[in-house]
Amino acid sequence: MIASKDNAKFKSWMKLKTKKYRDQTNRFIVYGKTFVDLARNKGVVEEVVTTNPEIEGTLISDQLMQLLKTTETSYDCFAVCKKLDFKLESKNILILDDVQNPDNVGAILRSALAFDFLHVVLSTHSADLYNDKTIRASGGALFDLFVERLDIYPFIESKKSIGYQVFGADAHASSNLPKKDEPFILILGNEGQGLNKKTIEYLDGRLNIQTKHVESLNVAIAGAILMYEWGKNQ
């Protein structure tokens, strides 16, 4: 059993709580049996760590597990995983333009999977895909999506060149309507500022959700509605 904070493995697990170390090692952690099983089914688990002798894996003390957790909820196991590495083609693509709250990003990923937006692009200033909050809010959806982080503008240009239409969520008004027979990119903007000015220059139109009594919706809710509305018309 590992019980010392000076243990090299424990130190590496603690560092995986930071994005910098996750990026350096291409590793991340998932907590709890549900997510461990999901990761195992995808073949990305490198090591299971547990306080429960009945679970196969590296045994650690309860005290170390408490130091490793990222929420108030206690778990008896977690898995060290290698980052996902697969690609797929999707007629529907979702771009997150600096969506910075990991809970929002996770919820959006879950809706993207539900409504068949299987390719998701995170801008360089969006929340980390492998943040524990993102993973938990996604309900594990990240394991079934092709998600990449990159400079969104060359990506948009490349997709427009092969026929993708690009629409952005707008809190104030709609302009133009997407064509049902063409591949589709939906862009969701930052929680406070909306779409970046540069992003707006690439749009073929804007999509607004008419609301009563409130000016706008949370980006995760708005994204779910827009993806649902697009999907049901296909």
Side-chain angles (χ1 to χ4, degrees):
M1 173 188 287
I2 296 174
S4 171
K5 290 189 290 185
D6 293 325
N7 179 272
K9 280 193 170 185
F10 173 77
K11 289 181 177 180
S12 70
W13 300 330
M14 285 293 289
K15 288 193 287 186
L16 281 172
K17 294 165 71 173
T18 68
K19 180 180 183 301
K20 180 179 179 180
Y21 193 68
R22 293 193 293 268
D23 289 344
Q24 287 176 350
T25 60
N26 285 318
R27 301 291 183 271
F28 68 104
I29 287 177
V30 294
Y31 295 86
K33 184 178 185 302
T34 297
F35 286 103
V36 169
D37 288 345
L38 285 171
R40 184 183 283 117
N41 289 340
K42 293 299 178 181
V44 297
V45 171
E46 293 191 335
E47 183 176 17
V48 174
V49 182
T50 181
T51 58
N52 185 347
E54 296 182 0
I55 296 176
E56 183 177 351
T58 301
L59 198 63
I60 67 169
S61 68
D62 290 327
Q63 291 78 9
L64 294 188
M65 183 66 85
Q66 289 298 309
L67 293 173
L68 285 160
K69 72 178 186 177
T70 60
T71 67
E72 292 300 318
T73 304
S74 294
Y75 300 102
D76 65 355
C77 65
F78 67 84
V80 178
C81 306
K82 56 187 177 182
K83 287 188 176 182
L84 302 165
D85 184 23
F86 72 93
K87 298 182 179 181
L88 54 80
E89 295 294 326
S90 178
K91 189 176 180 181
N92 300 323
I93 298 175
L94 178 67
I95 295 177
L96 304 189
D97 183 20
D98 296 354
V99 179
Q100 296 179 332
N101 184 311
D103 288 313
N104 283 336
V105 172
I108 291 167
L109 293 177
R110 188 166 187 164
S111 295
L113 182 61
F115 302 125
D116 208 33
F117 281 72
L118 301 181
H119 185 180
V120 180
V121 176
L122 307 179
S123 70
T124 54
H125 292 103
S126 289
D128 183 25
L129 174 64
Y130 297 102
N131 182 299
D132 181 52
K133 289 184 177 180
T134 307
I135 295 170
R136 286 187 288 108
S138 80
L142 81 162
F143 291 113
D144 294 301
L145 296 167
F146 171 31
V147 185
E148 52 184 344
R149 176 185 295 273
L150 43 77
D151 182 343
I152 65 174
Y153 302 119
F155 176 84
I156 294 171
E157 289 177 351
S158 70
K159 291 302 180 181
K160 291 192 76 165
S161 72
I162 58 173
Y164 276 81
Q165 54 188 329
V166 181
F167 280 75
D170 191 291
H172 305 292
S174 293
S175 63
N176 299 334
L177 289 174
K179 299 175 182 178
K180 296 180 181 179
D181 57 345
E182 294 182 6
F184 180 70
I185 292 175
L186 173 64
I187 307 180
L188 304 177
N190 174 268
E191 291 89 343
Q193 304 300 319
L195 297 172
N196 282 303
K197 290 181 179 180
K198 185 175 180 178
T199 303
I200 293 172
E201 297 174 5
Y202 288 85
L203 300 181
D204 297 308
R206 307 186 194 191
L207 300 174
N208 169 256
I209 300 169
Q210 294 294 317
T211 59
K212 297 179 180 179
H213 312 299
V214 296
E215 182 178 354
S216 62
L217 298 171
N218 169 275
V219 64
I221 295 173
I225 292 171
L226 292 172
M227 286 186 282
Y228 168 74
E229 287 293 328
W230 175 253
K232 76 177 186 180
N233 291 322
Q234 297 305 294

